[in-house]
Amino acid sequence: MVEMAEIGLIGLGTMGGNLALNIAESGVRIAVFNRTYGRTQAVMDEAGPLADTLAPAESLEAFVQSLAIPRKIILLVPAGWPVDDQIAALKPLLAPGDLIIDAGNSDWRETTRRAAEAAPQLHLGLGVSGGAEGARHGPSMMAGGTAEAYAMVKDVLTAIAADFEGAPCVAHLGPDGAGHYVKMVHNGIEYADMQMIAEIYGVMRDGSGMTAVEMAPVFERWNGGTLRSYLIEITGEIAKATDPKTGQAMLDVITDSAGQKGTGRWTVIDAQMRAAPLSAVEAAVTARVLSARLAARAEGEDRFGAAPTPLAEGAISEAELESALIAGKIIAYAQGFDLLATASTEEDWVLPLPQVAEIWRAGCIIRSAMLDDMASALTEAPERSLILAPHFAGLLEEHMPGLRKTVALAVAHGLPLPALSAALTYFDVMRTGRGTANMLQAQRDFFGQHGFERLDRPGETDLHGPWVG
Ligand code: 6PG
């Protein structure tokens, strides 16, 4: 008799293929299916000795029949309609109680809808982070669905997850769309983290005239300190890489136009809808959009000239640039966790924020030493902004002068630092007890009689100025 597979996976692209091999390596027999069988064969060839633990299927029917009941089927197909199409094709072949796990970067609202439509099957939305390497050797995974659905795959997910000092980087975070929501915010933070690093790279390149190769050891040094993280580590490696074709620094032959699949933009739209401040991520998304406007930027440079003067020798130190990144990063993460807290309340999810930070400590793209301290700060006081947690407030006091000096110099020299300046501005707003919105209220009342509150009459919001007749 043919041995039944404990779990199945559909969609053997880079992420799917690697996740299937990871599951096989954990000793779990896994059936695999792909729209084109050639890709399935390629994964089988790559599997080596793991091929014995993989059960390739040539048809969807054969795939479904090879699975032990209740069936557990992971989908790793492109987000959007392909997920719906795949579910529609599967449904007639499934039994009540079977589980579909959507491990792609699905829009959390679509996951919520699919969970509601799933009966008599179950649906689990699983955010998976870590790229190809993570999928193969241990991703960070954010699950949303019923407790019953999660329990069906908890063991296998725990076995394949990244490990942070013995703790698996996977958790059941809430119902239906909650897992994909947290993954979306992870990606928004990822955009800000990457953009800030790119901005500091820009100061070194265009302000200080450093070559990519000269920057590599700087990033390596930073990776030994407070900034220790996967993104800083790969940035150091990228900086020292050479283009095999031309012998130039690899970075110097790459077009400065960044792509995006949409999760960063979704995060920003969602934050705006909830009135949650996410300015560092917004700046990062806009920076990607502008990066793609190559022709318009070239025209702008022709008309107005590039940034006028390089920085004077020694104008900014390596330590100050490091400080800028440390402070900027703390603020971006504080905004991200603030958004998670807001969504958790609005959606009634009760997201366990300390656990979110914990499962981001390894496996995912934004993994960093700082996330361990964030997990501790959120455990102490999950409601408190990270910028007010004693550890991070101390770091901000120490590093804010570096961020301020970096942004000020860059502004003076015409070097754009959108995400870092957004972070600085957020900080300055958040430590200003009396801001300037009294002017906005007066203007609104002047032209529209919208009413305002007076400092000496708190709670009464329909007061007017002398301009209302
Ligand atoms: C991850 C990544 C991953 C991927 C996204 C972002 O956590 O493993 O976030 O999901 O890189 O597709 O891609 P874009 O930069 O194209 O939006």
Side-chain angles (χ1 to χ4, degrees):
M1 202 186 101
V2 184
E3 198 190 334
M4 301 298 263
E6 278 182 60
I7 197 162
L9 187 145
I10 298 177
L12 294 171
T14 311
M15 291 297 284
N18 280 303
L19 204 67
L21 294 175
N22 186 356
I23 292 173
E25 197 165 56
S26 77
V28 170
R29 186 164 176 78
I30 174 165
V32 288
F33 175 72
N34 196 66
R35 205 166 34 89
T36 50
Y37 193 64
R39 182 64 205 142
T40 310
Q41 278 169 326
V43 171
M44 294 306 291
D45 291 346
E46 206 185 310
L50 293 176
D52 291 344
T53 322
L54 290 162
E58 288 194 46
S59 72
L60 194 60
E61 290 73 13
F63 167 80
V64 170
Q65 278 160 19
S66 71
L67 294 168
I69 293 177
R71 301 180 180 93
K72 292 156 244 167
I73 300 172
I74 300 175
L75 302 186
L76 258 161
V77 298
W81 62 263
V83 176
D84 287 312
D85 280 7
Q86 193 60 66
I87 293 173
L90 271 171
K91 254 186 168 306
L93 308 173
L94 299 181
D98 289 350
L99 170 67
I100 291 179
I101 305 122
D102 174 12
N105 267 331
S106 285
D107 181 325
W108 70 275
R109 288 183 191 277
E110 293 192 352
T111 303
T112 301
R113 170 183 55 79
R114 288 174 190 134
E117 293 169 356
Q121 280 84 38
L122 304 165
H123 189 92
L124 192 76
L126 188 70
V128 179
S129 177
E133 186 65 16
R136 178 66 184 86
H137 298 292
S140 166
M141 288 173 289
M142 296 142 252
T146 60
E148 184 194 357
Y150 185 66
M152 288 170 73
V153 282
K154 184 176 178 206
D155 287 350
V156 62
L157 296 182
T158 305
I160 63 165
D163 170 284
F164 180 84
E165 296 176 2
C169 290
V170 57
H172 179 217
L173 299 173
D176 43 58
H180 276 140
Y181 187 87
V182 173
K183 173 67 198 330
M184 177 190 78
V185 176
H186 164 284
N187 281 24
I189 294 173
E190 173 185 302
Y191 274 48
D193 217 334
M194 292 167 68
Q195 173 65 24
M196 287 177 179
I197 295 171
E199 289 173 13
I200 292 297
Y201 155 71
V203 174
M204 291 196 272
R205 185 189 68 184
D206 302 331
S208 306
M210 287 170 74
T211 64
V213 173
E214 286 167 344
M215 292 175 211
V218 175
F219 288 113
E220 276 163 22
R221 280 192 286 279
W222 290 350
N223 199 39
T226 309
L227 286 174
R228 189 157 64 83
S229 60
Y230 172 70
L231 284 171
I232 291 286
E233 181 191 330
I234 65 166
T235 302
E237 283 183 33
I238 289 166
K240 67 176 177 222
T242 306
D243 173 28
K245 192 164 160 228
T246 60
Q248 283 177 265
M250 196 63 223
L251 267 174
D252 293 344
V253 300
I254 299 177
T255 307
D256 65 321
S257 169
Q260 54 177 317
K261 294 201 197 73
T263 43
R265 183 187 308 140
W266 293 349
T267 315
V268 166
I269 294 169
D270 186 88
Q272 286 287 1
M273 297 305 283
R274 298 182 194 283
L278 202 72
S279 49
V281 181
E282 280 172 18
V285 173
T286 306
R288 282 204 197 187
V289 172
L290 285 174
S291 79
R293 302 204 167 178
L294 287 167
R297 288 192 286 119
E299 214 179 315
E301 182 169 334
D302 282 349
R303 174 65 183 81
F304 301 109
T309 43
L311 305 182
E313 174 108 26
I316 189 100
S317 69
E318 182 180 318
E320 285 164 327
L321 294 175
E322 182 183 20
S323 285
L325 271 183
I326 293 170
K329 180 171 173 132
I330 293 169
I331 290 163
Y333 280 65
Q335 291 186 340
F337 277 100
D338 183 325
L339 172 60
L340 288 176
T342 306
S344 177
T345 308
E346 285 187 9
E347 305 298 328
D348 224 359
W349 279 336
V350 201
L351 290 177
L353 297 187
Q355 225 183 337
V356 170
E358 278 167 16
I359 63 172
W360 286 351
R361 290 178 302 186
C364 65
I365 301 295
I366 64 170
R367 61 187 182 261
S368 72
M370 237 186 235
L371 273 163
D372 196 27
D373 294 322
M374 289 181 183
S376 308
L378 291 163
T379 304
E380 271 163 36
E383 307 287 309
R384 180 183 57 195
S385 166
L386 280 174
I387 69 170
L388 295 176
H391 175 73
F392 290 104
L395 281 178
L396 283 175
E397 270 168 351
E398 184 185 342
H399 296 288
M400 198 45 81
L403 175 60
R404 191 174 300 286
K405 182 171 169 189
T406 303
V407 172
L409 263 179
V411 168
H413 288 261
L415 297 168
L417 301 189
L420 287 167
S421 22
L424 174 63
T425 299
Y426 175 82
F427 177 81
D428 284 336
V429 169
M430 293 311 287
R431 55 94 181 258
T432 301
R434 178 158 170 80
T436 56
N438 49 325
M439 172 60 89
L440 304 180
Q441 286 298 78
Q443 290 166 333
R444 292 176 68 242
D445 188 55
F446 193 104
F447 63 66
Q449 302 182 19
H450 293 290
F452 51 70
E453 187 190 76
R454 289 176 59 105
L455 289 169
D456 53 2
R457 286 167 70 179
E460 290 177 63
T461 52
D462 201 23
L463 304 174
H464 299 282
W467 43 77
V468 174

